[in-house]
Amino acid sequence: MTGIEVAGLVLGTIPLVISALEHYKAGKSVAALFFKWRGQLDTLIFRLKLQRTFFYLQVLELLRSAGVEHVVDQLDVTEEECVFILQNTKNGGEVKKYLGPLYGTFLDIICRYEKCLQTITTKLGHINRPPNAAKDDLAAILAVNPPGTASFAFKKRVTFTIEKASLNELIEELREDRLSLKTIIDYTRAQREYASRQPSRDAGRLTKIYAQVQFNATSLFTAMCKICTRRHHSKHNVLMRLDSRVPVQGEKPRFASRTKEDTTFSLVFKLEDHLHDVYVKASQSAYNAKTDPLCQEATTKIPIVKISTVVDPIPDDSGGEGDTLTKLTYICRHVCDGRSSGDVIKLRLTKHGLGVLEGPYEARRHFSTSTTLEKLLRDGFEDEDSRMTPKQQTLFALDIATSILQLRQTYWFNLPFTSNGIRFLVQNGRAAKTTIHGPFVEQLIEEDPSR
């Protein structure tokens, strides 16, 4: 029998025990009661009535806090209804999960209630019991004396035979401060309220990741404006892919801390009606979480990275092995050169500047056109073949929603943030196969007027 079921037995049996003791008391004279019990019987009945009220209210509060459906959905739950809810074994798991490590203490308190009632019922004679049932079998007694009965019927005058020493022990045991569930209920609720106010480890980890992304996204935009010149194109559009960056469950980080990893941005440059891939790795050493106002919950100006236009090699402070950096001075020309070679352009953003990352070459993707999220959804509504799968919808929604947290207060976040401002790129493959890439946000990169 689970702890919740035992609690149901206790709550259902207490009214019967109180009624039997009052029935016994009514059959005795005042003098007889005084000389035999010296007022202790009245104290026992009073303590039982107090515990009945306390137990009912505290168990009801426990069920509400644990989210038991039948209690949460009802405004007023009577004592009899509470007994039936406690007898439902399905509710035991919810209470056990809610109490956590304190569930063992809860069981101890419930069992002490049960033991007190068993001690009293074994000393009560002529109460309604099933044939051959043990005197302390509370479940059997409750079965023939269901809760909600207006008055319990006693065929004969109830007897109560208990030693005074045992009676004193019962009275002491039934003190409200000894058997109160309030302490563990209040502690559990306080712990959960504290936990709800404090970010979890995963939430704190994600906050640092997003703060790093926000810092690097701002620095990247500033760096590109610094090296956009009139010699080639004074302005052009750049699309940035929206990534959720939510750590995969069970994923083991390659470094001691997730925030120490590089932030990668997938960009697509629009130059002369062509779309060209550009990957940017933002070095983690350019970001300091301890001084980041986003992590410190302080407000300050958006940080700016100062980029020199002098052509000279820059140190790679990323800590990566095998990376060779060449200072980038004119980003437009470099993108045009990459388009001619057919390779993806790979850049590194460090605290010293924006450089070209030399390494293994990768063929760029050939995009035919771009479309908006609004058009993509409309086409899916009109044509089933163009409709996104539920998994695709979920992943796109996650990317878009989390991008608000990452790119807010940066130049990449345009208001209003609508379906027309979110773009997807279309890539035509072999055998008439079409691939949709995205989502992206688009921003205009212009030459820095301060140059």
Side-chain angles (χ1 to χ4, degrees):
M1 187 175 292
T2 65
I4 285 296
E5 291 177 282
V6 176
L9 284 181
V10 170
L11 188 58
T13 306
I14 289 180
L16 172 64
V17 172
I18 294 173
S19 181
L21 291 174
E22 289 179 336
H23 186 269
Y24 165 77
K25 177 184 174 181
K28 299 291 183 179
S29 65
V30 175
L33 290 172
F34 175 78
F35 285 111
K36 184 172 183 178
W37 301 112
R38 302 288 179 175
Q40 292 295 80
L41 181 62
D42 290 332
T43 303
L44 176 61
I45 295 174
F46 175 72
R47 290 279 171 85
L48 285 170
K49 288 181 177 180
L50 278 181
Q51 289 297 338
R52 175 184 180 179
T53 302
F54 293 152
F55 190 82
Y56 160 64
L57 295 177
Q58 291 164 5
V59 166
L60 186 60
E61 181 181 358
L62 175 61
L63 294 175
R64 290 191 193 278
S65 300
V68 175
E69 181 180 359
H70 299 290
V71 179
V72 174
D73 294 341
Q74 297 185 46
L75 183 62
D76 296 319
V77 180
T78 64
E79 188 175 315
E80 292 75 20
E81 290 173 332
C82 190
V83 172
F84 289 118
I85 292 172
L86 292 170
Q87 290 175 338
N88 187 345
T89 57
K90 295 181 180 179
N91 299 326
E94 297 179 8
V95 173
K96 185 175 182 179
K97 181 180 178 180
Y98 174 76
L99 292 175
L102 291 179
Y103 184 71
T105 306
F106 168 75
L107 286 179
D108 292 340
I109 294 176
I110 295 300
C111 290
R112 288 173 68 179
Y113 269 109
E114 183 185 27
K115 185 177 179 181
C116 287
L117 292 175
Q118 287 175 336
T119 302
I120 297 174
T121 54
T122 55
K123 303 300 180 180
L124 286 171
H126 306 302
I127 62 174
N128 193 12
R129 286 188 178 91
N132 302 322
K135 288 187 175 182
D136 62 349
D137 190 345
L138 299 185
I141 294 174
L142 188 61
V144 294
N145 298 277
T149 306
S151 60
F152 295 98
F154 302 103
K155 297 179 181 179
K156 296 181 180 180
R157 178 60 55 188
V158 174
T159 60
F160 185 50
T161 56
I162 189 173
E163 296 79 8
K164 288 184 179 180
S166 299
L167 181 60
N168 291 333
E169 291 177 3
L170 270 175
I171 293 173
E172 179 65 20
E173 186 70 10
L174 287 169
R175 278 171 42 194
E176 54 268 27
D177 59 339
R178 295 282 304 274
L179 285 176
S180 176
L181 292 170
K182 183 175 177 58
T183 302
I184 62 172
I185 293 175
D186 289 347
Y187 175 81
T188 304
R189 182 172 59 247
Q191 283 291 99
R192 287 184 167 262
E193 290 177 354
Y194 174 79
S196 65
R197 293 194 300 268
Q198 297 296 320
S200 65
R201 184 176 180 180
D202 290 338
R205 176 184 174 192
L206 196 60
T207 299
K208 291 181 180 180
I209 293 175
Y210 284 177
Q212 180 177 344
V213 172
Q214 187 174 128
F215 178 93
N216 290 329
T218 300
S219 303
L220 175 61
F221 183 90
T222 305
M224 288 193 298
C225 288
K226 288 286 186 181
I227 53 180
C228 177
T229 67
R230 292 189 181 92
R231 296 182 184 181
H232 296 84
H233 303 83
S234 60
K235 61 182 178 180
H236 49 262
N237 287 17
V238 178
L239 291 92
M240 175 185 283
R241 178 181 168 84
L242 304 179
D243 294 304
S244 70
R245 306 182 193 272
V246 176
V248 179
Q249 187 174 6
E251 176 188 15
K252 294 183 179 180
R254 291 171 292 171
F255 301 93
S257 173
R258 180 75 180 181
T259 57
K260 292 184 179 180
E261 294 188 34
D262 294 338
T263 303
T264 303
F265 296 100
S266 178
L267 307 179
V268 175
F269 276 66
K270 282 186 174 182
L271 287 176
E272 299 177 353
D273 297 327
H274 291 279
L275 300 170
H276 198 98
D277 285 323
V278 176
Y279 292 156
V280 181
K281 281 188 177 182
S283 172
Q284 57 86 13
S285 60
Y287 170 77
N288 188 349
K290 293 182 179 180
T291 59
D292 188 354
L294 300 174
C295 290
Q296 301 298 327
E297 298 183 356
T299 56
T300 185
K301 294 182 179 180
I302 295 177
I304 301 298
V305 174
K306 294 182 179 180
I307 305 296
S308 173
T309 58
V310 179
V311 180
D312 58 0
I314 58 175
D316 177 15
D317 54 2
S318 64
E321 297 182 2
D323 288 346
T324 303
L325 288 181
T326 303
K327 185 71 175 184
L328 182 63
T329 54
Y330 305 121
I331 191 170
C332 311
R333 183 180 65 187
H334 196 75
V335 172
C336 291
D337 294 342
R339 185 186 67 193
S340 301
S341 64
D343 297 323
V344 173
I345 295 176
K346 297 180 181 180
L347 307 177
R348 166 80 75 178
L349 177 67
T350 71
K351 62 184 178 181
H352 297 288
L354 191 63
V356 180
L357 183 61
E358 305 292 345
Y361 293 102
E362 181 181 345
R364 69 181 182 90
R365 295 170 293 183
H366 296 275
F367 302 111
S368 58
T369 184
S370 67
T371 184
T372 65
L373 175 61
E374 182 183 22
K375 187 176 186 305
L376 193 66
L377 294 175
R378 186 184 297 112
D379 291 345
F381 177 77
E382 297 173 352
D383 182 9
E384 187 175 353
D385 293 335
S386 303
R387 191 172 304 166
M388 291 185 288
T389 65
K391 182 178 180 179
Q392 289 175 323
Q393 293 174 359
T394 303
L395 293 176
F396 285 153
L398 178 63
D399 289 336
I400 294 170
T402 54
S403 67
I404 298 175
L405 301 176
Q406 300 174 56
L407 301 179
R408 63 186 179 88
Q409 299 179 2
T410 73
Y411 300 110
W412 299 97
F413 190 74
N414 296 320
L415 293 176
F417 195 64
T418 64
S419 57
N420 277 324
I422 299 172
R423 306 195 69 84
F424 290 82
L425 300 181
V426 180
Q427 180 183 11
N428 295 326
R430 298 178 180 178
K433 181 180 179 181
T434 301
T435 305
I436 302 295
H437 298 271
F440 291 86
V441 289
E442 188 172 359
Q443 187 55 270
L444 180 66
I445 305 294
E446 296 184 272
E447 180 183 13
D448 186 353
S450 63
R451 292 187 55 184

